[in-house]
Coordinates of all heavy atoms in Angstrom, one line a residue:
H64 N -3.6 25.3 -3.1 CA -2.8 25.6 -4.3 C -3.2 27.0 -4.8 O -2.3 27.8 -5.2 CB -3.1 24.6 -5.4 CG -2.5 24.9 -6.7 ND1 -1.1 24.9 -6.9 CD2 -3.0 25.2 -7.9 CE1 -0.9 25.2 -8.2 NE2 -2.0 25.4 -8.8
M65 N -4.5 27.3 -4.9 CA -5.0 28.6 -5.4 C -4.5 29.7 -4.5 O -4.0 30.7 -5.0 CB -6.5 28.6 -5.4 CG -7.1 29.9 -5.9 SD -8.7 30.2 -5.2 CE -8.2 30.9 -3.6
K66 N -4.6 29.6 -3.2 CA -4.2 30.6 -2.3 C -2.7 31.0 -2.4 O -2.3 32.1 -2.3 CB -4.6 30.3 -0.8 CG -4.4 31.4 0.2 CD -4.9 31.1 1.5 CE -4.9 32.3 2.5 NZ -3.5 33.0 2.5
S67 N -1.9 29.9 -2.5 CA -0.5 30.2 -2.6 C -0.2 31.0 -3.9 O 0.6 32.0 -3.8 CB 0.3 28.8 -2.7 OG 1.6 29.0 -2.9
A68 N -0.8 30.6 -5.0 CA -0.6 31.4 -6.2 C -1.2 32.8 -6.1 O -0.5 33.8 -6.6 CB -1.2 30.6 -7.4
Y69 N -2.4 32.9 -5.6 CA -3.0 34.2 -5.5 C -2.3 35.2 -4.5 O -2.2 36.4 -4.8 CB -4.5 34.1 -5.1 CG -5.4 33.8 -6.3 CD1 -5.1 32.8 -7.2 CD2 -6.5 34.6 -6.6 CE1 -6.0 32.5 -8.3 CE2 -7.3 34.4 -7.7 CZ -7.1 33.3 -8.5 OH -7.9 33.1 -9.6
D70 N -1.7 34.6 -3.4 CA -1.0 35.5 -2.5 C 0.2 36.1 -3.2 O 0.5 37.3 -3.0 CB -0.5 34.7 -1.3 CG -1.6 34.4 -0.3 OD1 -2.6 35.1 -0.4 OD2 -1.3 33.6 0.6
D71 N 0.8 35.4 -4.1 CA 2.0 35.9 -4.9 C 1.5 36.9 -5.9 O 2.0 38.0 -6.0 CB 2.7 34.8 -5.5 CG 3.9 35.3 -6.4 OD1 4.8 35.9 -5.9 OD2 3.8 35.0 -7.6
M72 N 0.5 36.5 -6.7 CA 0.0 37.4 -7.8 C -0.6 38.7 -7.3 O -0.4 39.7 -7.9 CB -1.0 36.6 -8.6 CG -0.5 35.5 -9.4 SD -1.8 34.7 -10.5 CE -2.9 34.0 -9.2
F73 N -1.3 38.6 -6.2 CA -1.9 39.8 -5.7 C -1.1 40.5 -4.6 O -1.6 41.3 -3.8 CB -3.3 39.5 -5.1 CG -4.3 39.3 -6.3 CD1 -4.5 38.1 -6.9 CD2 -5.1 40.4 -6.7 CE1 -5.4 38.0 -7.9 CE2 -6.0 40.3 -7.7 CZ -6.2 39.0 -8.3
S74 N 0.2 40.3 -4.6 CA 1.1 41.0 -3.7 C 0.9 42.5 -3.8 O 0.9 43.0 -5.0 CB 2.5 40.6 -3.9 OG 3.4 41.5 -3.2
P75 N 0.8 43.3 -2.8 CA 0.7 44.8 -2.9 C 1.9 45.4 -3.5 O 1.8 46.6 -3.8 CB 0.4 45.2 -1.4 CG 0.9 44.1 -0.6 CD 0.7 42.8 -1.4
T76 N 3.0 44.7 -3.6 CA 4.2 45.2 -4.3 C 4.0 45.3 -5.8 O 4.8 46.0 -6.5 CB 5.4 44.4 -4.0 OG1 5.2 43.1 -4.5 CG2 5.7 44.3 -2.5
R77 N 3.0 44.7 -6.3 CA 2.7 44.7 -7.7 C 1.7 45.8 -8.0 O 0.8 46.1 -7.2 CB 2.2 43.4 -8.2 CG 3.0 42.2 -8.0 CD 2.4 40.9 -8.6 NE 3.1 39.7 -8.3 CZ 4.2 39.2 -8.9 NH1 4.7 40.0 -9.9 NH2 4.7 38.1 -8.6
A78 N 1.8 46.4 -9.2 CA 0.8 47.3 -9.7 C -0.6 46.6 -9.8 O -0.6 45.4 -10.1 CB 1.1 47.9 -11.1
P79 N -1.7 47.3 -9.5 CA -3.0 46.6 -9.4 C -3.4 45.9 -10.7 O -3.9 44.7 -10.6 CB -4.0 47.7 -9.0 CG -3.2 49.0 -9.2 CD -1.8 48.7 -9.1
M80 N -3.2 46.5 -11.9 CA -3.6 45.8 -13.1 C -2.6 44.6 -13.4 O -3.1 43.6 -14.0 CB -3.6 46.8 -14.3 CG -4.9 47.5 -14.4 SD -6.5 46.5 -14.3 CE -6.3 45.3 -15.6
E81 N -1.4 44.7 -13.0 CA -0.5 43.6 -13.1 C -1.0 42.4 -12.4 O -0.9 41.3 -12.8 CB 0.9 44.0 -12.6 CG 1.9 42.8 -12.8 CD 3.3 43.1 -12.1 OE1 3.4 44.2 -11.5 OE2 4.1 42.2 -12.2
R82 N -1.6 42.6 -11.2 CA -2.1 41.6 -10.4 C -3.2 40.8 -11.1 O -3.3 39.6 -11.2 CB -2.7 42.1 -9.0 CG -1.6 42.8 -8.2 CD -2.3 43.4 -7.0 NE -1.7 44.7 -6.6 CZ -2.2 45.5 -5.7 NH1 -3.3 45.3 -5.2 NH2 -1.5 46.6 -5.5
L83 N -4.1 41.6 -11.7 CA -5.3 41.1 -12.4 C -4.8 40.4 -13.7 O -5.4 39.3 -14.0 CB -6.3 42.1 -12.7 CG -7.0 42.7 -11.4 CD1 -7.7 44.0 -11.7 CD2 -8.0 41.7 -10.9
D84 N -3.9 40.9 -14.4 CA -3.3 40.3 -15.6 C -2.7 39.0 -15.3 O -2.8 38.0 -16.0 CB -2.4 41.2 -16.3 CG -3.1 42.4 -17.1 OD1 -4.3 42.2 -17.3 OD2 -2.4 43.3 -17.4
L85 N -1.9 38.9 -14.2 CA -1.2 37.7 -13.8 C -2.3 36.7 -13.4 O -2.1 35.5 -13.7 CB -0.3 38.0 -12.6 CG 1.0 38.7 -12.9 CD1 1.7 39.0 -11.6 CD2 1.9 37.8 -13.7
M86 N -3.4 37.1 -12.8 CA -4.4 36.2 -12.4 C -5.0 35.6 -13.7 O -5.3 34.3 -13.7 CB -5.5 36.9 -11.6 CG -6.7 36.0 -11.2 SD -8.0 36.1 -12.4 CE -8.5 37.8 -12.3
V87 N -5.3 36.4 -14.7 CA -5.8 35.9 -15.9 C -4.9 34.9 -16.6 O -5.3 33.8 -17.0 CB -6.1 37.0 -16.9 CG1 -6.5 36.5 -18.3 CG2 -7.3 37.9 -16.4
D88 N -3.6 35.2 -16.6 CA -2.6 34.3 -17.2 C -2.6 33.0 -16.4 O -2.5 31.9 -17.0 CB -1.2 34.9 -17.1 CG -1.0 36.1 -18.1 OD1 -1.8 36.2 -19.1 OD2 -0.2 37.0 -17.8
F89 N -2.7 33.1 -15.1 CA -2.7 31.9 -14.3 C -3.9 31.0 -14.6 O -3.8 29.8 -14.7 CB -2.6 32.3 -12.8 CG -2.8 31.1 -11.8 CD1 -1.7 30.3 -11.5 CD2 -4.0 30.9 -11.2 CE1 -1.9 29.3 -10.6 CE2 -4.2 29.8 -10.3 CZ -3.1 29.0 -10.0
V90 N -5.0 31.6 -14.6 CA -6.3 30.9 -14.9 C -6.2 30.2 -16.3 O -6.5 29.0 -16.4 CB -7.5 31.8 -14.9 CG1 -8.7 31.1 -15.5 CG2 -7.8 32.3 -13.5
I91 N -5.7 30.9 -17.3 CA -5.7 30.3 -18.6 C -4.6 29.2 -18.7 O -4.9 28.1 -19.2 CB -5.3 31.4 -19.7 CG1 -6.5 32.4 -19.8 CG2 -5.0 30.8 -21.0 CD1 -6.2 33.6 -20.6
Q92 N -3.5 29.4 -18.1 CA -2.4 28.4 -18.2 C -2.8 27.1 -17.4 O -2.6 26.0 -17.8 CB -1.1 28.9 -17.6 CG 0.1 28.0 -17.9 CD 0.3 27.7 -19.3 OE1 0.4 28.6 -20.2 NE2 0.4 26.4 -19.7
S93 N -3.5 27.4 -16.2 CA -4.0 26.2 -15.4 C -5.0 25.4 -16.2 O -4.9 24.2 -16.2 CB -4.6 26.7 -14.1 OG -3.7 27.4 -13.3
Q94 N -5.9 26.1 -16.9 CA -6.9 25.4 -17.7 C -6.3 24.6 -18.9 O -6.7 23.5 -19.2 CB -7.9 26.4 -18.2 CG -8.8 27.0 -17.1 CD -9.7 25.9 -16.5 OE1 -10.3 25.0 -17.2 NE2 -9.8 26.0 -15.2
K95 N -5.3 25.2 -19.5 CA -4.6 24.6 -20.6 C -3.8 23.3 -20.1 O -3.9 22.3 -20.7 CB -3.6 25.5 -21.3 CG -4.3 26.6 -22.1 CD -3.3 27.7 -22.5 CE -2.4 27.2 -23.6 NZ -1.6 28.3 -24.2
D96 N -3.2 23.4 -18.9 CA -2.4 22.3 -18.4 C -3.4 21.2 -18.0 O -3.1 20.0 -18.3 CB -1.7 22.7 -17.1 CG -0.5 23.7 -17.5 OD1 -0.1 23.8 -18.7 OD2 0.0 24.3 -16.5
I97 N -4.5 21.5 -17.4 CA -5.5 20.5 -17.0 C -6.1 19.9 -18.2 O -6.4 18.6 -18.2 CB -6.6 21.1 -16.1 CG1 -5.9 21.5 -14.7 CG2 -7.7 20.2 -15.9 CD1 -5.4 20.4 -13.9
A98 N -6.4 20.7 -19.2 CA -7.0 20.1 -20.4 C -6.1 19.1 -21.1 O -6.5 18.1 -21.6 CB -7.4 21.2 -21.4
A99 N -4.8 19.5 -21.1 CA -3.8 18.6 -21.7 C -3.7 17.3 -20.9 O -3.5 16.2 -21.5 CB -2.5 19.3 -21.8
K100 N -3.8 17.4 -19.6 CA -3.7 16.2 -18.7 C -4.9 15.3 -18.7 O -4.9 14.1 -18.8 CB -3.4 16.7 -17.3 CG -3.1 15.6 -16.3 CD -2.7 16.1 -14.9 CE -2.5 15.0 -13.9 NZ -2.1 15.6 -12.6
Y101 N -6.1 16.0 -18.6 CA -7.4 15.2 -18.5 C -8.1 15.0 -19.8 O -9.1 14.3 -19.8 CB -8.3 15.9 -17.5 CG -7.7 16.1 -16.1 CD1 -8.3 16.9 -15.2 CD2 -6.6 15.3 -15.7 CE1 -7.8 17.0 -13.8 CE2 -6.1 15.4 -14.4 CZ -6.7 16.3 -13.5 OH -6.3 16.4 -12.2
G102 N -7.7 15.7 -20.8 CA -8.4 15.5 -22.1 C -9.6 16.4 -22.4 O -10.3 16.2 -23.4
H103 N -9.8 17.3 -21.5 CA -11.0 18.2 -21.7 C -10.9 19.4 -20.8 O -10.3 19.4 -19.7 CB -12.3 17.4 -21.2 CG -13.6 18.0 -21.6 ND1 -14.1 19.1 -21.0 CD2 -14.4 17.7 -22.6 CE1 -15.3 19.5 -21.6 NE2 -15.5 18.6 -22.6
V104 N -11.4 20.6 -21.3 CA -11.4 21.8 -20.5 C -12.3 21.5 -19.3 O -13.4 21.0 -19.4 CB -12.0 23.0 -21.3 CG1 -12.2 24.2 -20.4 CG2 -11.1 23.3 -22.4
C105 N -11.8 21.8 -18.1 CA -12.5 21.4 -16.9 C -13.2 22.5 -16.1 O -14.0 22.3 -15.2 CB -11.5 20.7 -15.9 SG -11.1 19.0 -16.6
G106 N -12.8 23.8 -16.4 CA -13.5 24.9 -15.8 C -13.0 25.0 -14.3 O -12.0 24.5 -13.9
C107 N -13.9 25.7 -13.5 CA -13.5 26.0 -12.1 C -13.9 24.7 -11.2 O -15.1 24.3 -11.2 CB -14.3 27.2 -11.6 SG -14.1 27.5 -9.8
P108 N -12.9 24.2 -10.5 CA -13.3 23.0 -9.7 C -14.3 23.3 -8.6 O -15.1 22.4 -8.2 CB -11.9 22.6 -9.1 CG -11.1 23.8 -9.1 CD -11.5 24.6 -10.4
F109 N -14.3 24.5 -8.1 CA -15.2 24.8 -7.0 C -16.6 25.0 -7.5 O -17.6 24.6 -6.9 CB -14.7 26.1 -6.3 CG -13.3 26.1 -5.8 CD1 -12.3 26.7 -6.4 CD2 -13.0 25.3 -4.7 CE1 -11.0 26.7 -6.0 CE2 -11.7 25.2 -4.3 CZ -10.7 25.9 -4.9
I110 N -16.8 25.5 -8.7 CA -18.1 25.6 -9.4 C -18.6 24.2 -9.7 O -19.8 23.8 -9.5 CB -18.1 26.4 -10.6 CG1 -17.8 27.9 -10.3 CG2 -19.4 26.3 -11.4 CD1 -18.9 28.6 -9.5
T111 N -17.7 23.3 -10.3 CA -18.1 22.0 -10.6 C -18.6 21.2 -9.4 O -19.6 20.6 -9.5 CB -16.8 21.2 -11.2 OG1 -16.4 21.9 -12.4 CG2 -17.2 19.8 -11.6
L112 N -17.8 21.3 -8.3 CA -18.2 20.6 -7.1 C -19.4 21.2 -6.4 O -20.4 20.6 -6.0 CB -17.0 20.5 -6.2 CG -17.1 19.5 -5.0 CD1 -17.3 18.1 -5.5 CD2 -15.8 19.6 -4.1
G113 N -19.4 22.5 -6.3 CA -20.4 23.3 -5.6 C -21.8 23.2 -6.3 O -22.8 23.1 -5.6
S114 N -21.8 23.1 -7.6 CA -23.1 23.1 -8.3 C -23.8 21.7 -8.0 O -25.0 21.6 -8.1 CB -22.9 23.3 -9.8 OG -22.0 22.2 -10.3
E115 N -23.0 20.7 -7.7 CA -23.6 19.4 -7.4 C -23.9 19.2 -5.9 O -24.9 18.6 -5.6 CB -22.6 18.3 -7.8 CG -22.5 18.1 -9.3 CD -21.7 16.8 -9.6 OE1 -20.4 16.9 -9.6 OE2 -22.3 15.8 -9.7

Side-chain angles (χ1 to χ4, degrees):
H64 173 68
M65 181 211 79
K66 189 175 186 307
S67 176
Y69 275 55
D70 281 346
D71 176 61
M72 292 183 293
F73 282 86
S74 167
T76 61
R77 301 184 189 277
M80 277 312 302
E81 180 188 2
R82 299 173 216 169
L83 292 165
D84 284 342
L85 284 171
M86 179 269 296
V87 171
D88 291 338
F89 173 79
V90 167
I91 293 171
Q92 189 59 52
S93 296
Q94 291 295 317
K95 289 172 72 173
D96 291 344
I97 291 298
K100 183 177 180 180
Y101 297 167
H103 196 282
V104 174
C105 291
C107 174
F109 304 107
I110 293 294
T111 300
L112 194 57
S114 61
E115 289 189 272

